[in-house]
């Protein structure tokens, strides 16, 4: 085998080993990778039941119901499509209607998710009181600015 042939053999062998390693990593992660979708994407993609996913949007006004203790039914909307969510457990303190939320769970049907975790998002203008106080002490805080905390 010539020197060029040996070099090509080593490169091909290294490429094959790299492809095998990447394949094994992807195979091992296939159950832990969770994709994020919006309600319109969930409807449009027509995902099969049993798909694990994260869905984000706003909690639809008037949709929160508590049929049993520790069970909450609500709807996540992007104002175009709605996805029904059933969650068993305590909701975060920031959870409320009209607020942003991310739920992770398993798709039950075409537009229903059995969530096992719910994350509530606060207003992007929110700033902790301690930070506001610190900014006021430094003289950098301006009342009524776009950085003012929401109440």
């Amino acid at each position: 085998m010539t020197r060029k042939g040996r070099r090509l053999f080593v490169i091909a062998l290294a490429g094959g080993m790299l492809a095998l390693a990447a394949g094994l990593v992807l195979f091992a992660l296939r159950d832990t990778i969770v994709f994020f979708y919006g309600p319109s994407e969930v409807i449009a993609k027509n995902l099969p039941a049993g798909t694990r996913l994260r869905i984000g949007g706003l909690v639809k006004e008037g949709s929160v119901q508590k049929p049993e203790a520790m069970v909450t039914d609500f709807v996540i909307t992007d104002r175009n499509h709605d996805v029904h969510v059933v969650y068993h457990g305590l909701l975060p303190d920031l959870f409320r209607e009209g607020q942003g939320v991310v739920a992770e769970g398993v798709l039950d049907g075409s537009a229903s998710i059995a969530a096992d975790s719910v994350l509530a998002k606060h207003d992007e203008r929110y700033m902790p009181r301690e930070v506001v106080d610190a900014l006021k002490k430094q003289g950098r805080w301006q009342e009524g600015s776009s950085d003012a905390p929401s109440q």
Side-chain angles (χ1 to χ4, degrees):
M1 184 178 278
T2 65
R3 187 173 176 177
K4 184 177 179 180
R6 279 185 288 186
R7 194 175 316 148
L8 286 174
F9 176 75
V10 169
I11 290 172
L13 183 64
M17 299 273 291
L18 189 61
L20 179 66
L24 289 173
V25 167
L26 290 175
F27 181 76
L29 292 176
R30 76 178 191 281
D31 290 336
T32 59
I33 294 174
V34 179
F35 293 103
F36 180 86
Y37 297 101
S40 293
E41 292 173 304
V42 170
I43 302 296
K45 290 187 183 263
N46 198 18
L47 299 168
T51 301
R52 185 159 187 81
L53 56 89
R54 282 186 181 180
I55 183 167
L58 299 173
V59 178
K60 189 172 185 176
E61 300 283 339
S63 70
V64 178
Q65 299 175 352
K66 294 191 177 253
E68 301 172 29
M70 303 292 287
V71 177
T72 307
D73 292 350
F74 58 97
V75 173
I76 294 178
T77 184
D78 61 1
R79 297 200 167 101
N80 291 325
H81 292 94
D82 298 340
V83 174
H84 180 253
V85 177
V86 177
Y87 176 67
H88 297 262
L90 292 173
L91 290 168
D93 292 338
L94 295 172
F95 180 88
R96 63 180 179 263
E97 294 178 356
Q99 193 70 29
V101 69
V102 175
E104 181 175 336
V106 178
L107 193 63
D108 279 344
S110 62
S112 179
I113 292 176
D116 50 28
S117 71
V118 173
L119 304 171
K121 300 183 339 185
H122 53 70
D123 191 335
E124 65 273 357
R125 294 177 296 156
Y126 171 77
M127 189 174 296
R129 179 62 54 196
E130 295 83 13
V131 174
V132 171
D133 292 342
L135 290 174
K136 284 181 179 178
K137 284 181 183 177
Q138 295 174 1
R140 295 180 160 196
W141 181 257
Q142 295 178 350
E143 294 292 333
S145 70
S146 62
D147 296 334
S150 61
Q151 298 297 323

